Amino acid sequence: MLVAKNALTNETVHSFKGDIEKLKKLSKDKILVCQECNSPVILKSGKVKIAHFAHKNCECTYTYWENESADHMRAKIDIKERLEVLYPTSSVYIEYKVEETNHRSDIMVVHPDGSKWAFEVQLSRIPVKELLERRTLYQKAGVVDFWLMGYDYNKSTDFSVWKDIRGYSTNLNRITVNEAILINSIPINNILIMKLGKEYWIYNTEVLNAAKDSYFEAKKTLFIILKKKYYNATISMDTQIENNNEVADILLTSKNGTKFAINFIYKNYHDLFKSQSGHSEIFIREVFYKNANINVFWISGVYFVNSQEYYLNRDYGFKYFITKDKDSFIIEAYYTNYYQHKFPAENIIINKVGKVSTFMLEDEKLISNLKLYKDKGYITYNKKCPDCNKTLLLKRQYNNPIYYCNCGYEQDVDVLNCPDCRYRMKLKYSKANIRHYWQCTNYPECLADIDVRIGHK
Ligand SMILES: [Zn+2]
Ligand SMILES: [Zn+2]
Ligand SMILES: [Zn+2]
């Protein structure tokens, strides 16, 4: 145990803090006693375990203290310290007695409003039934219980009760005790707890901060780029949309009065997380723009924390992503399954695509090139083989366009997007013209094609 009672003053004493010599003397003088049975405890401070108390002759009927591992003690202390930082106005106790459950919680946070959060570090296996019983007791006592499981509880075979455990408002978490204590793979000193709906979620402050920083930087960068590019337009940041709470990150009103909003959907990373997609939030917000007659674009962020990639909603059909690459921002656009394109943020333009007749955020360079190919009716490829310096030829291989050389060299070719509708184009061969050409995959709705010429200047 890490906590004892000073029998003279009734104060609680922690084994892991304060003057160890003083503690030793108190324990020698039999002044420190077990909080459960009031029998004297001695201070043990060896090399393996953190300084802790133990009964002299164990007649204590309370089983909590038995066989407490070094990992368990350390986890309790580290979690307590983190919770003290997170909740400075709350009281954080270790080995706290909950009268209603007749059990001691590993760590208990008592908030100023009287609400209680218990943290249980469960490194050894616990029968599912017992876990369920203890959770029920906590629930009856009105205590929110966080379980930090040191083993893969998902592998429990007792599925009949397992379902009931999951039904509780708080979720079960994973704890790893290694050189550092990790909760759900998050270093203990980075954890943050947030209530979303009825559930408590543990977040990584580093990730939340990275999302926020990335959001502010991306917003400012795009704002500056657009301001330079659309100097005739009115552009503002953080603008309220009519008479509601909706705030557009960037609002652009063109000279002819057409309005565009660009919103970053990862600024409230944690808020969005509750719906797992953020889709519903955008669905609600989109109405404000429709009512205000504003074309709106949603951009999600891709950002990195310790070289791990984080992003929101890449799989949920959002069209635009922004990510920082060294010092500049890159926009990744997924217009349709057929049209994906990455381009530097500096190239961004708001463009109405003819056949689709909707506004898109596009790559100015790409668009002007496509326009050029369309006007000329052909595109030239004039790339040399790096091995033999001959002009590379084009062909389709397994449905993909590639460069090839008779010496055996091969290289991928960028797929061309349709100048009219932006669908991907497909490399085809015309026997009549003995030559390749690009055909829009939106054929026959779109009839665009572009001739391929090899080796022209
Ligand atoms: Zn005892
Ligand atoms: Zn070659
Ligand atoms: Zn097309």
Side-chain angles (χ1 to χ4, degrees):
M1 69 187 90
L2 299 168
V3 184
K5 193 169 72 180
N6 182 319
L8 299 178
T9 61
N10 249 345
E11 282 171 330
T12 48
V13 178
H14 293 92
S15 62
F16 55 93
K17 58 183 185 190
D19 186 341
I20 195 127
E21 292 307 321
K22 230 182 218 168
L23 284 179
K24 271 183 186 162
K25 179 147 194 329
L26 286 173
S27 105
K28 223 179 183 176
D29 296 343
K30 295 183 182 174
I31 288 167
L32 300 180
V33 298
C34 168
Q35 294 183 93
E36 283 293 325
C37 65
N38 282 313
S39 62
V41 292
I42 49 168
L43 180 75
K44 288 193 167 179
S45 60
K47 274 182 183 160
V48 182
K49 287 188 184 179
I50 253 160
H52 61 281
F53 302 113
H55 289 89
K56 245 179 174 158
N57 315 299
C58 196
E59 277 158 29
C60 186
T61 53
Y62 189 68
T63 53
Y64 179 94
W65 320 125
E66 302 278 334
N67 298 321
E68 193 183 4
S69 68
D71 282 352
H72 190 247
M73 291 183 190
R74 230 191 78 219
K76 286 199 290 188
I77 295 169
D78 285 10
I79 293 162
K80 173 188 190 273
E81 285 174 353
R82 178 59 185 166
L83 290 168
E84 280 171 339
V85 171
L86 287 176
Y87 304 102
T89 58
S90 306
S91 304
V92 184
Y93 302 97
I94 231 165
E95 297 165 9
Y96 180 94
K97 180 74 170 262
V98 183
E99 296 300 336
E100 294 97 324
T101 68
N102 196 29
H103 213 282
R104 286 190 181 268
S105 307
D106 283 333
I107 304 119
M108 178 68 85
V109 183
V110 181
H111 291 298
D113 65 358
S115 60
K116 286 178 183 169
W117 292 1
F119 290 80
E120 293 290 355
V121 178
Q122 194 64 48
L123 298 182
S124 56
R125 281 190 175 274
I126 179 172
V128 176
K129 214 175 150 218
E130 190 187 323
L131 176 58
L132 182 60
E133 279 163 10
R134 292 195 52 194
R135 299 206 72 181
T136 307
L137 286 174
Y138 272 129
Q139 202 183 41
K140 280 186 182 156
V143 175
V144 175
D145 57 336
F146 295 85
W147 288 80
L148 311 172
M149 316 298 273
Y151 58 91
D152 192 353
Y153 51 89
N154 279 312
K155 287 196 176 137
S156 166
T157 48
D158 197 353
F159 288 112
S160 55
V161 267
W162 178 238
K163 248 199 313 199
D164 297 330
I165 291 170
R166 290 175 66 110
Y168 277 74
S169 60
T170 54
N171 58 338
L172 302 173
N173 300 282
R174 288 292 297 278
I175 186 168
T176 319
V177 183
N178 267 328
E179 297 99 70
I181 300 215
L182 307 173
I183 293 177
N184 299 338
S185 306
I186 305 165
I188 182 70
N189 287 329
N190 286 351
I191 69 153
L192 195 74
I193 300 161
M194 272 187 274
K195 192 179 186 183
L196 306 170
K198 282 181 182 169
E199 310 252 337
Y200 289 86
W201 295 85
I202 291 175
Y203 289 99
N204 188 344
T205 48
E206 240 186 321
V207 175
L208 296 179
N209 290 337
K212 217 184 280 171
D213 290 350
S214 175
Y215 156 67
F216 279 119
E217 206 188 340
K219 177 170 73 169
K220 213 176 143 193
T221 305
L222 266 201
F223 174 74
I224 292 167
I225 291 168
L226 290 167
K227 218 172 154 76
K228 225 189 248 172
K229 200 161 277 182
Y230 295 96
Y231 48 86
N232 279 328
T234 314
I235 306 180
S236 56
M237 271 200 283
D238 306 319
T239 314
Q240 198 188 333
I241 302 303
E242 299 198 335
N243 301 316
N244 53 59
N245 289 328
E246 180 59 30
V247 173
D249 285 326
I250 298 173
L251 186 71
L252 184 150
T253 310
S254 74
K255 225 177 155 186
N256 66 22
T258 315
K259 287 184 175 189
F260 303 95
I262 295 175
N263 286 325
F264 297 85
I265 57 166
Y266 65 122
K267 67 172 167 182
N268 294 319
Y269 177 85
H270 52 277
D271 282 347
L272 291 165
F273 214 77
K274 66 185 157 194
S275 60
Q276 294 295 320
S277 78
H279 223 145
S280 52
E281 177 179 316
I282 285 167
F283 189 73
I284 294 160
R285 292 177 62 190
E286 208 143 48
V287 175
F288 298 128
Y289 294 93
K290 230 168 232 158
N291 292 343
N293 205 14
I294 299 170
N295 301 284
V296 62
F297 304 105
W298 304 95
I299 303 183
S300 185
V302 184
Y303 49 96
F304 295 85
V305 179
N306 301 327
S307 64
Q308 197 185 326
E309 191 185 36
Y310 289 86
Y311 51 81
L312 202 59
N313 306 317
R314 199 201 274 276
D315 301 327
Y316 289 86
F318 290 105
K319 284 181 178 164
Y320 306 102
F321 294 85
I322 192 162
T323 187
K324 202 173 175 188
D325 180 34
K326 287 178 193 115
D327 286 328
S328 54
F329 277 94
I330 303 287
I331 292 174
E332 238 176 282
Y334 296 77
Y335 303 89
T336 66
N337 288 336
Y338 316 99
Y339 179 20
Q340 296 161 16
H341 184 60
K342 262 189 194 184
F343 57 95
E346 285 73 32
N347 291 2
I348 194 169
I349 49 164
I350 300 168
N351 197 33
K352 195 168 197 168
V353 179
K355 290 264 165 72
V356 188
S357 200
T358 44
F359 285 104
M360 290 181 172
L361 298 178
E362 293 203 287
D363 175 359
E364 191 174 33
K365 278 232 172 77
L366 175 78
I367 301 315
S368 75
N369 282 338
L370 292 179
K371 196 176 174 301
L372 194 71
Y373 305 146
K374 188 185 155 77
D375 292 347
K376 288 198 299 189
Y378 66 88
I379 172 172
T380 53
Y381 290 91
N382 194 15
K383 205 164 180 160
K384 299 276 191 253
C385 172
D387 294 341
C388 67
N389 209 34
K390 277 187 196 146
T391 301
L392 288 170
L393 305 169
L394 251 67
K395 69 172 175 187
R396 204 168 88 209
Q397 191 178 62
Y398 309 117
N399 246 340
N400 297 314
I402 60 159
Y403 282 116
Y404 74 99
C405 176
N406 288 327
C407 78
Y409 178 84
E410 285 182 2
Q411 194 194 327
D412 287 339
V413 171
D414 286 339
V415 170
L416 207 63
N417 291 109
C418 172
D420 292 339
C421 72
R422 303 293 188 266
Y423 272 55
R424 287 181 154 223
M425 297 188 96
K426 193 173 186 176
L427 189 68
K428 293 215 155 190
Y429 186 73
S430 157
K431 273 188 185 154
N433 297 319
I434 330 169
R435 162 182 302 166
H436 280 95
Y437 65 100
W438 291 99
Q439 186 185 63
C440 182
T441 52
N442 198 12
Y443 180 88
E445 265 86 273
C446 176
L447 298 173
D449 59 32
I450 296 168
D451 219 12
V452 168
R453 294 189 186 179
I454 307 282
H456 286 248
K457 287 278 149 78

